[in-house]
Each structure stands twice: as structure tokens, then as C-alpha cells.
Amino acid sequence: MTDTALERDAARLEYARDAVEHAYDEGWTDGLPIVPVTAAMVEEFLAATPRPPDEVVAALPHLDRECTVEQAAVNAAMAGCRPEYFPVVLAAWDALMHQPSVTGGGWQSTSGPAPLIVVNGPVRAELGINSTGGVLGPGFRANATIARAVGLVVRNVLGIRPHELEQATQGLPGRWSLCVGENEEESPWEPLSAELGLPAGADAVSALLLRTCEFVDNRHTQDPEEVLWDFCDTIARTGAAIGRFSSAGLVLSVEHAQLLAGGGFAKADVQQWLHDHAVRSHADLERAGKGLDGLQAPGIDEYGLHMTPSPEQIPIIVAGARNAAMSMVVRPFGFSGWSRTAHPVRRG
Amino acid sequence: MFEAMIDPTARPAVTAPVVLAPRPAELAGLTVGLLTNTKKNAESFLDEVGALLAEEHGVAGLVRRKKLNIAQTAPAEMRDELVRACDVIVVGVGDCGSCSASAVADGLELEAAGVPAVVICSEAFVPTADAMADLKGAKGYDYARTPHPVAPLERAEVRARARRILPDLVGILTRASVAA
């Protein structure tokens, strides 16, 4: 390479850096650098979907705000998505718009919840969506940028920014980064999308909002009930108790899922078992200043508070490596529950 | 320099500035609406406000409504009922991220329908209340602020809060209040 070419290269890179800084100055980023977007890039994204550019994919009536397919494309490109990821981003919005908590102001909540986006089907392998080791962590472009594309729409198009309309008290580590493939290949049960009514093998996205997640490390036993009791202890923490609106779910590791299935538990059996056993006593709640004061309501009985509203409201997905028996207890957000819907990925 | 770089933000909808309702000179003899949400202590806070308005300002009647969705504005029928029945309205309590924004939006919808409305927000949610007023075309909309938090207070503390905020509420409802 000649000196002249090197100089030209340096000048281009300086220009690229200025473009990134310009995006910061305009308030368009979530704190990390973005990809500068041109009209040609937006066209590539729009070509990846059969949906018209002016179709509304997200709307918050109480803020008079809507997001079109085209605006979602701009933000997906900014987030670092490849054009072929865009149909998954749109399906994630379909799933999110079915959550009462999303349309009800969840993005503005003091909980600062994070969307958990779950992808099923062959699209995972085609796009490189990780479903195995480190599934909730960094390192995979599709997982990271699909989730980030949602966050940039909330900020840039719906206009919900921290210290303004967004009022998270602390927020959640992992906000705008939680997109996982389900590990269908090693799960002993049908995929989440099939549980929710789509045909086996469909490319699909489901989503819900999370308040947080916490690991359960149990490499200690081969008894399914002992593992379930270990989940229960985490699920029933008083810190997570908010009266009869508490909720919980599981991102199960492959080993835990296979141990449970091997012990004869269908997914529905696990849900029922957890619903029956994850109870916090009235005395414990009172000790934490969270006594229910004789409240009569579903999920409250003489033993205390059932920490899940119903068995089917306990989301269970299988994701992660088959290298250790540890799982995540997740905390769905929202008084109105999880929609339990899966949405097809439609490609152009 | 970066004119070819696409702006990812929505063009804000062109919102016509909200015209606030004309104010009465005083509250004596008027009917006051109390529009609460489901946040803990919201109802008791406005009950205390209503009692004080009756005792000390001679208001003639109170009309109570509670909206069940804290993040959305009150249903149109509920708003219409209040507008028909009331001379002024108190809205509250904005004590969370989404309910403070929607309380301000309620106040502005009532104003636009011709009834003076005062919103009570806890001080922790001033940024979100201001952002909502701005979004709705009423930058600088005046509302009453109470210290945070409201939810864990005992009834006597709620009563004390209502007493402290009363002059502000009455002032906002009776003085010519302009959104910039």
C-alpha cells in the first residue's frame, strides 16, 4: 500500500469516527457507538421483509407515538443488525406489542424492565442466533443487535429516554441485550413456539418483559424434586414479592431440563409443581413489611402467597450449554401477565 | 456534513398547544372532581384534599372517579362524566414512572375539554411529568408537587400532606395559569 492510500484510509476512518460522534451529539445512541445509516442501507433492510415501509409495528397511544417498518429499519441498521436479521426484529415487535405491560407504559416503569426475546426455528442457525453456551451473555452479533434494535426504537422513535419519560429506578443489567435462541436441539420438550400453538419447525419469536434474573446452581443431585425445591427457594424470595402480582419463570439449562424430563416431568408438570410449591408464608412477608393484611385474592391462602399467578403463566424455555447444571429464575414484569403468543418470522 | 446520515428519531407529531381552561376566582359553591388512579394512597390523598376543600373553601360537592389503568389516561366516558359534573378537577397521584406521565395527560385532556384541572405528582417524577407536558404541547404546565414517597404513608401522614399541598392546589385552580 502506498503512503497516499494509507492517508486516504486514515481520512475515511476519521470521517467515520466523526459520524459516530455526530450520532452521540444528536442523542441517538444508547451509550454505545452506533452504525451511521444511509438511505441505501435502509433500502437493504426494507428488501428483507415483505411488510410495507409505512406499516405501524409499534405504537404507544398515550404518548401519541408510532413506529413504522421504515423507522424500525433505520434503528435496526444503527444497532448493527445485518439486513437479514430485520424480520426477526419485526417479529419481536409483534410479540412485544401483545404484552399488556408494553402498551400499558412498561417502558416508562420504575422497574426498568428488559425485553426477553426468544427465537425458535431454523432461522437461529441461518442467522447465527446463539442458543447454547453464554446465551444470555455477549459475543454474538445477531443476539446483541436484534435486542439493541428494540431499545433504539424505544429511545429514538417512541421518545422514551432515561431521566425524561423513562423513569427506571436502577434499571436491569441486560436491558436491550436479552435475545436468545431456544436450544431446541437439546431440549427434551417441544419448542416454546409449539407450546404456544405454532407448527413445529416454524421460525418464530416470543417475548416478555423481565424485571431481573437470578441463577440457580444445582450440580448436586439427580433427584428432580430436589432441583425443583432449589428453584422454589429462589422464586419465593420476599424481595420479589409484590402481592398477588408476583411472577416467575425459568430459563432452564439443558442438564436441568433433561434431569426433569428424565424424572417424568413434562413441561406442564414443572409449571404445576412450581405453582403449587413456590409459596411464601404470611409470617415471612410480614417480617419484610409486606404483609397482605388479610387480603382475599387469587393466589393467597392460609399458607401464604403463591409466587406465580397460574401454572401457564410460568414461562419455561431451555437455553444454554450442556456443560453444567445451572439455570436462571426470571421475573416477568407486569400485572396483566404474559401474552403467551408466538409470532412468525416473515421474510422478503 | 452528515446530511446523508438518516435521522433515526421520529418527527414529533405536530401537537397544537393546549389552551388551558378559564379559572374561577374562588372555589366556594363549586363542584370538585377527584380523579384517582390505583396507586397506594392515591384515593385517600384525594379524599383528604376533598374534605379540606369542603371545610375550608366551601366547595359544594365532590365527584369521585378512579381509573383502573394507571398508565393510560382516564377512559373517555369517565372524563366526559367529570367534565359534565364538575367545575374543577383534582388528578392524582402521579407516584410512578408511567402514572405520573398519564396523570399530566389526564389534566391536559380535562383542560382541553374546558375544565380547570390540577395534577398532583410526587417530586421524584418531575422529569417525567414535565416531559409529558412538553410532549402534549403544554410545556410549563403547572402542577402540584408533594414529597416522595406517597405509597408507604400512614393515613395521618397522608392528611398532613393534603394540608401542605392545599394552597398550591387552590392557587393553580384559581389563578390564570398559562402553559408556555
Side-chain angles (χ1 to χ4, degrees), chain A residues 104-222:
Chain A
W107 301 135
Q108 294 163 260
S109 169
T110 47
S111 295
L116 172 67
I117 299 159
V118 182
V119 184
N120 283 111
V123 71
R124 292 165 303 138
E126 289 169 34
L127 302 184
I129 296 172
N130 182 30
S131 62
T132 61
V135 70
L136 290 166
F140 299 89
R141 179 175 177 175
N143 302 58
T145 62
I146 289 167
R148 190 188 188 199
V150 170
L152 288 179
V153 161
V154 171
R155 178 186 182 91
N156 288 328
V157 187
L158 303 180
I160 298 174
R161 299 168 185 229
H163 301 184
E164 296 173 25
L165 285 172
E166 192 250 79
Q167 292 289 315
T169 307
Q170 293 182 312
L172 170 57
R175 201 176 196 197
W176 317 128
S177 73
L178 299 178
C179 171
V180 304
E182 189 167 29
N183 190 341
E184 298 174 21
E185 291 69 23
E186 296 184 286
S187 169
W189 301 312
E190 65 179 359
L192 179 68
S193 53
E195 179 192 339
L196 301 178
L198 291 188
D203 289 328
V205 179
S206 301
L208 64 159
L209 295 193
L210 295 189
R211 307 188 83 190
T212 194
C213 53
E214 179 177 351
F215 72 90
V216 174
D217 185 336
N218 191 321
R219 296 178 263 190
H220 306 64
T221 176
Q222 296 184 45

Side-chain angles (χ1 to χ4, degrees), chain B residues 85-139:
Chain B
C86 304
D87 301 298
V88 298
I89 296 168
V90 183
V91 179
V93 175
D95 194 30
C96 71
S98 48
C99 67
S100 50
S102 75
V104 167
D106 276 323
L108 291 169
E109 288 191 0
L110 293 164
E111 294 274 359
V115 180
V118 59
V119 177
I120 302 171
C121 266
S122 91
E123 284 165 355
F125 296 99
V126 164
T128 191
D130 286 346
M132 185 54 126
D134 197 2
L135 181 80
K136 295 287 185 185
K139 195 175 176 63

Side-chain angles (χ1 to χ4, degrees), chain A residues 250-302:
Chain A
L250 295 174
V251 176
L252 277 182
S253 67
V254 173
E255 286 193 61
H256 279 155
Q258 292 183 350
L259 174 67
L260 292 167
F265 283 85
K267 205 196 296 186
D269 299 328
V270 175
Q271 290 166 320
Q272 186 68 53
W273 199 99
L274 292 174
H275 178 67
D276 292 343
H277 293 80
V279 178
R280 195 74 193 208
S281 74
H282 289 293
D284 286 350
L285 292 169
E286 280 158 19
R287 191 176 57 190
K290 290 181 163 181
L292 299 170
D293 300 326
L295 179 68
Q296 304 275 320
I300 299 170
D301 60 22
E302 70 268 34

Side-chain angles (χ1 to χ4, degrees), chain B residues 9-101:
Chain B
T9 61
R11 302 274 75 77
V14 182
T15 310
V18 174
V19 179
L20 300 187
R23 265 52 188 163
E26 56 171 28
L27 300 182
L30 302 186
T31 300
V32 179
L34 303 175
L35 174 58
T36 68
N37 57 31
T38 56
K39 278 284 149 184
K40 187 152 184 274
N41 278 335
E43 238 174 329
S44 49
F45 198 122
L46 263 60
D47 277 346
E48 295 291 352
V49 164
L52 288 170
L53 288 174
E55 285 165 28
E56 300 180 10
H57 292 268
V59 307
L62 299 169
V63 177
R64 292 178 174 80
R65 290 290 182 276
K66 178 159 85 172
K67 65 172 185 175
L68 298 180
N69 188 326
I70 56 166
Q72 311 270 356
T73 52
E77 317 80 69
M78 189 182 286
R79 191 171 61 239
D80 292 346
E81 283 172 15
L82 286 168
V83 166
R84 273 198 303 274
C86 304
D87 301 298
V88 298
I89 296 168
V90 183
V91 179
V93 175
D95 194 30
C96 71
S98 48
C99 67
S100 50

